[in-house]
Amino acid sequence: DSGVTQTPKHLITATGQRVTLRCSPRSGDLSVYWYQQSLDQGLQFLIQYYNGEERAKGNILERFSAQQFPDLHSELNLSSLELGDSALYFCASSVSGTSEYYNEQFFGPGTRLTVL
Amino acid sequence: TQLLEQSPQFLSIQEGENLTVYCNSSSVFSSLQWYRQEPGEGPVLLVTVVTGGEVKKLKRLTFQFGDARKDSSLHITAAQPGDTGLYLCAGGRGSTLGRLYFGRGTQLTVWP
């Protein structure tokens, strides 16, 4: 158990809908990262938050957005869903937000999103 | 384009065999992590290497960071079925504020 929790575990929805994925980082971790993993693309970095502020952006679509709240939990919002958005979505957390120290990330169990 | 290239992509071996997985880049990294992922679960951190030339051993697993900090390898001795999984390398760069760059992974299957 990494200490990172994600809900829900599974999500099935229809095209055009909007969903929210939730992540609680390990106790004491300030940074939260969101990743998308599909069979053909591997693990793709979406976005990072550090202590409530957006820190780095990866291949995140405009239809997707995220935020980190004062209690440090984070939510990833996916809207106007398409079939191709079906994937595993992982949240990870780490203590530091920079690579000045080595950045060890601890992953949650993921949310499997299926868009029908 | 992947910043980190892993090879081989797939590896299928018999129990007891040795194997090496490679993680290569043309870029320098401040740190290199190896993760193992099982189907439907999140990646689990195995090791972090931060010094060029560093070698770390974790039971039957040996991890090496290249002298120039551009590449790494994972060697497994006497593989067991329990080693089956997706092995991912990930590099950190000081200029990018904490994000890790992941390779596509090596899917290892060890048959009894």
Side-chain angles (χ1 to χ4, degrees), chain B residues 55-110:
Chain B
V55 176
K56 277 193 175 178
K57 291 194 174 184
L58 194 67
K59 297 184 181 178
R60 295 176 295 99
L61 278 60
T62 301
F63 304 86
Q64 185 162 7
F65 201 10
D67 290 341
R69 287 155 58 200
K70 292 183 179 181
D71 54 84
S72 181
S73 64
L74 158 60
H75 181 80
I76 301 179
T77 304
Q80 299 177 358
D83 296 326
T84 294
L86 180 68
Y87 289 83
L88 295 158
C89 66
R93 305 179 72 194
S95 63
T96 46
L97 302 175
R99 69 164 288 183
L100 293 177
Y101 293 86
F102 279 83
R104 293 285 300 263
T106 294
Q107 179 61 52
L108 171 65
T109 303
V110 182

